[in-house]
Amino acid sequence: MESVSQELDRILGIVTIADNHLEVRKQLLMLLQDFTIRGIAVHDANIVATMLAYNIDKICTLDNDFHRYRRLITIVSPLTSTA
């Protein structure tokens, strides 16, 4: 358990937790209206809303559901990325 705790502390020292706050909710409502999102697609919209609220412009994913947002974010595929 000690090594798990140390590793978690190390990871938390290099990442930023993107909390779901008022700005994320505003972005989500905008996306729900602009893209007519319903049902399970709201989960992906919430991810994009969080990205927009935190000025994150790239997502690395194999999920084609994010393509509807390609005018707002850059989609990077791990299968085709040379980075």
Side-chain angles (χ1 to χ4, degrees):
M1 191 61 187
E2 179 65 26
S3 66
V4 171
S5 179
Q6 289 173 352
E7 185 64 10
L8 183 57
D9 287 342
R10 186 188 72 76
I11 291 169
L12 290 175
I14 58 174
V15 299
T16 299
I17 306 268
D19 290 326
N20 193 347
H21 56 75
L22 180 59
E23 185 58 33
V24 174
R25 288 191 295 275
K26 287 180 185 177
Q27 291 290 337
L28 179 58
L29 288 174
M30 184 265 315
L31 292 171
L32 295 177
Q33 292 172 354
D34 290 354
F35 291 91
T36 317
I37 306 296
R38 302 287 180 266
I40 197 161
V42 171
H43 297 290
D44 292 333
N46 194 53
I47 292 170
V48 174
T50 304
M51 292 173 64
L52 296 174
Y54 283 90
N55 295 315
I56 299 167
D57 63 347
K58 291 184 182 83
I59 186 168
C60 183
T61 182
L62 294 171
D63 189 345
N64 289 329
D65 293 340
F66 287 96
H67 285 274
R68 73 176 80 197
Y69 307 108
R70 66 185 172 273
R71 68 177 169 88
L72 302 173
I73 60 171
T74 300
I75 301 162
V76 178
S77 170
L79 298 179
T80 59
S81 177
T82 58

